Amino acid sequence: MENPVIAQKAPCVKDMAAGTYYWCACGRSKSQPFCDGSHKGTGFTPKKVEITETRKVAWCGCKHSANAPFCDGSHARL
């Protein structure tokens, strides 16, 4: 499998309402940190995330987090 594109070397921090979201795993989406279908033809698939209550979320922007889709600080080592 190819490596994901590094969309940014920082988390994407957003206030999120409860709902279902699809986090971009490939790094190609123009709607970061969410999937826009740009992964088609790659070995990547978006990660479905259920947010149960309104909260602030630090989405992984570098696509290398061991805790994907959430930031774990991996961007500091890239």
Side-chain angles (χ1 to χ4, degrees):
M1 178 183 276
E2 61 187 285
N3 289 322
V5 172
I6 298 171
Q8 63 185 44
K9 289 188 177 181
C12 184
V13 180
K14 293 186 172 284
D15 290 317
M16 302 301 300
T20 302
Y21 299 91
Y22 291 87
W23 174 76
C24 169
C26 71
R28 291 177 166 83
S29 175
K30 301 294 186 233
S31 302
Q32 291 295 327
F34 307 111
C35 179
D36 68 0
S38 295
H39 63 276
K40 288 182 178 38
T42 72
F44 294 98
T45 57
K47 183 168 181 102
K48 181 179 179 180
V49 180
E50 297 285 340
I51 303 290
T52 57
E53 60 187 34
T54 298
R55 65 184 176 107
K56 189 175 294 278
V57 176
W59 300 99
C60 174
C62 73
K63 312 304 175 184
H64 286 78
S65 175
N67 191 34
F70 308 111
C71 179
D72 70 355
S74 292
H75 59 273
R77 296 182 295 280
L78 297 175

